[in-house]
Amino acid sequence: MRRALERLRIRAFFSLQARADDLPAGPIKIVVGFGASSTADTVARLVSRYMTDHVGHSVIVENRTGNSSMIAAKYVAHAANDGRTLFMAEDRHRQYCGRLALLAPQLTEREIQVCAGIVCGLSSNAIAGSLGLSVNTVLTHRRRAYA
């Protein structure tokens, strides 16, 4: 994790340093499709501190949870095309979803998403928050997946 974060910092530094002068005035916004304390949120907050220090613009992290980060993705897609609104997502769930779909074809898409959250070590509350579901719905999907 530390090496990956360092590589991300280096890439962000060189790509943002070249474009820092071209940015219009105002803050940069990183939109995260998952809740607070998720991996994407944590990385976004670390990157925002780094960007603030090295680019000279303030960077705001905004969480827009729900529908497996599609709400955040749609928000960014409809934002002004000025390079100030960035999207941060996790692909861990998607990797696990693909593998689980192959291993357990009888599961529904939502059950696979819940199982991917379990494999990632997320609690039922965290899975519910990231998928925009109630905790009871997540528990129901867990029971069906284990049946």
Side-chain angles (χ1 to χ4, degrees):
M1 172 82 171
R2 187 174 284 188
R3 285 184 186 174
L5 184 58
E6 189 59 33
R7 278 184 263 147
L8 181 62
R9 284 182 178 172
I10 291 169
R11 286 183 193 149
F13 175 75
F14 285 113
S15 64
L16 290 171
Q17 193 68 25
R19 297 186 178 136
D21 297 332
D22 299 335
L23 289 174
I28 298 170
K29 185 185 296 186
I30 300 176
V31 180
V32 180
F34 296 94
S37 300
S38 65
T39 303
D41 178 68
T42 303
V43 170
R45 291 182 190 284
L46 292 171
V47 169
S48 72
R49 286 187 203 140
Y50 185 82
M51 288 171 62
T52 299
D53 293 343
H54 289 85
V55 177
H57 293 278
S58 63
V59 180
I60 300 167
V61 176
E62 181 178 326
N63 297 83
R64 290 187 174 256
T65 62
N67 198 17
S68 297
S69 75
M70 288 307 297
I71 292 171
K74 286 180 183 178
Y75 175 81
V76 172
H78 291 100
N81 191 15
D82 60 2
R84 296 198 133 314
T85 306
L86 308 174
F87 179 59
M88 176 74 71
E90 295 179 4
D91 64 351
R92 246 182 354 173
H93 285 75
R94 307 244 186 274
Q95 292 172 351
Y96 288 125
C97 286
R99 293 178 190 156
L100 288 168
L102 293 173
L103 295 173
Q106 74 277 10
L107 297 178
T108 67
E109 182 179 344
R110 190 58 90 182
E111 289 168 348
I112 290 171
Q113 291 171 341
V114 169
C115 289
I118 294 168
V119 170
C120 291
L122 299 177
S123 67
S124 293
N125 288 336
I127 295 169
S130 69
L131 296 177
L133 302 172
S134 72
V135 176
N136 286 335
T137 302
V138 169
L139 294 175
T140 300
H141 287 307
R142 285 180 86 142
R143 279 193 298 276
R144 288 182 186 162
Y146 288 140

